[in-house]
Amino acid sequence: MPTGLKGRNLLEPMDFSVDEMECLFRLADRVIEAPEQYADRCRGRLLATLFYEPSTRTRFSFEAAMLRLGGQVIGFSEPNSSSVAKGESLSDTVRTVACYADLAVIRHPKEGAPRVAALATDMPVINAGDGGHQHPTQTLTDLLTIRRERGGLGGLNIGVCGDLRFGRTVHSLIKALSRYPGMRFALISPEELMIPEYVRKEVLQKGGIPFDEVRMLQDVMPGLDALYMTRVQKERFFNEEDYIRLKDSYILDAEKMRLARPDMMVLHPLPRVNEIAVEVDADPRALYFKQARNGMFVRMALIMALLGVER
Ligand code: NCD
């Protein structure tokens, strides 16, 4: 079945319907089962990765995904090594890249930058994180992981903990999950890092989705199906003192894990700083490295779908 996503952009999670996401997850499942069947799918195709902000997983997983599909990759991870340093606009850079590549992945510190890029070209554009706004391909990774662990999405009580204000993965995750039935959220953060008003009002309240905003992780742990931990987003702070005061607000350790259900999923988009103690890695409920691997497979599915070569 074609996914119907050929030629489309992925700028924010709602760009794809629930059914379209399901097609992508099924495709990702098939890639995980038999990756060799997809090894030539993108032969002769070129992916451009334009990273105006640091990245490890997102850029490498996109590049690995394209290479594992038999395609090739160009791009930069250091904008000062490109004509950006000469003052070229994002639109001009993207129009130029579209002369060479078949699709582009863009990470940028400014909210909405990937949308500006998409308006400048017919080439499919994927948002790989725009400032403190959205990160839809991390959400594909997160949903694929939950779906594979639980056999489906919906009917889950999800705790989201840490920097809910600047954490773009959190905004995209809540938006995407809000479309499944029976969801409930526990939003765990310090006062200063609470979820933005637009997510609270436009997504949660408008959707009639039950949620609690709490300070203490321990208070909600026992009822959670999944705990999504996040890093305090240092690069979005205006002053260092606030960051230092807030950075270690939550540390998940073996002792806190004793409060959780025996099958609670621990997720994290990574990179981790201090918010999950290394001792938790050995707990079978810790899924974050598995999640990173799923990220490559779901990006393989996404690339094939946008290029229309999934069949
Ligand atoms: C996240 C990001 O860049 O927003 N990382 C990622 O893509 N896996 C999370 C983070 O940086 O904290």
Side-chain angles (χ1 to χ4, degrees):
M1 259 264 291
T3 55
L5 295 173
K6 185 179 178 186
R8 301 253 296 268
N9 300 315
L10 177 58
L11 303 175
E12 68 113 23
M14 305 307 223
D15 285 347
F16 294 174
S17 70
V18 168
D19 289 346
E20 287 166 341
M21 289 238 199
E22 184 56 28
C23 284
L24 268 186
F25 297 143
R26 288 192 186 158
L27 181 56
D29 285 340
R30 293 201 294 279
V31 176
I32 292 169
E33 271 158 40
E36 67 288 348
Q37 287 183 14
Y38 298 87
D40 276 322
R41 240 10 117 82
C42 286
R43 189 154 306 284
R45 309 290 181 121
L46 198 55
L47 169 77
T49 54
L50 314 183
F51 277 65
Y52 295 80
E53 259 196 352
S55 170
T56 304
R57 269 146 299 272
T58 306
R59 186 168 62 87
F60 286 165
S61 65
F62 265 112
E63 295 186 357
M66 191 55 166
L67 295 172
R68 284 178 186 271
L69 292 167
Q72 295 196 300
V73 182
I74 54 170
F76 56 77
S77 55
E78 178 40 75
N80 289 329
S81 68
S82 76
S83 282
V84 174
K86 300 181 188 170
E88 186 172 55
S89 71
L90 177 61
S91 300
D92 281 3
T93 301
V94 169
R95 285 176 73 180
T96 307
V97 167
C99 300
Y100 319 133
D102 301 297
L103 81 166
V105 179
I106 301 181
R107 169 170 287 190
H108 202 284
K110 286 211 185 104
E111 301 194 355
R115 189 171 296 280
V116 170
L119 289 170
T121 176
D122 291 334
M123 165 182 69
V125 171
I126 300 170
N127 176 6
D130 59 329
H133 189 218
Q134 300 289 331
H135 193 346
T137 66
Q138 181 62 47
T139 299
L140 294 179
T141 305
D142 303 339
L143 266 56
L144 177 69
T145 305
I146 298 172
R147 186 184 168 281
R148 287 181 65 80
E149 294 298 315
R150 285 298 152 95
L153 294 158
L156 298 169
N157 187 4
I158 311 257
V160 189
C161 178
D163 188 347
L164 311 188
R165 179 176 176 197
F166 297 117
R168 55 196 174 193
T169 65
V170 170
H171 310 156
S172 291
L173 179 74
I174 294 176
K175 258 188 153 178
L177 284 176
S178 72
R179 298 191 293 185
Y180 295 88
M183 294 301 303
R184 143 167 235 123
F185 293 96
L187 306 176
I188 310 133
S189 76
E191 177 92 35
E192 291 95 325
L193 300 179
M194 284 168 75
I195 199 89
E197 194 59 18
Y198 83 92
V199 180
R200 187 183 298 109
K201 281 225 165 89
E202 294 300 311
V203 182
L204 295 168
Q205 289 172 350
K206 206 167 165 181
I209 297 151
F211 67 98
D212 298 305
E213 297 190 272
V214 301
R215 298 279 165 272
M216 296 289 288
L217 181 53
Q218 291 88 320
D219 292 349
V220 293
M221 273 293 257
L224 299 178
D225 294 298
L227 173 62
Y228 193 92
M229 293 297 293
T230 63
R231 171 180 73 89
V232 175
Q233 306 280 297
K234 182 179 184 190
E235 63 276 35
R236 315 265 176 245
F237 277 75
F238 294 113
N239 72 68
E240 178 130 13
E241 279 155 47
D242 287 345
Y243 170 70
I244 290 169
R245 185 166 49 80
L246 294 167
K247 71 184 172 66
D248 293 327
S249 298
Y250 301 99
I251 299 177
L252 182 66
D253 56 16
E255 198 189 320
K256 290 199 191 80
M257 284 299 289
R258 278 196 276 279
L259 300 170
R261 289 187 188 160
D263 61 349
M264 185 192 77
M265 299 173 269
V266 182
L267 302 169
H268 190 309
L270 303 178
R272 133 179 80 184
V273 186
N274 282 330
E275 59 281 356
I276 302 182
V278 174
E279 65 189 19
V280 177
D281 297 2
D283 191 309
R285 294 170 288 185
L287 299 180
Y288 26 92
F289 287 105
K290 202 175 195 183
Q291 193 183 349
R293 187 158 169 81
N294 284 337
M296 176 181 73
F297 293 120
V298 85
R299 288 177 174 107
M300 288 172 76
L302 177 65
I303 292 169
M304 287 192 280
L306 298 187
L307 292 176
V309 298
E310 66 271 42
R311 272 163 82 86

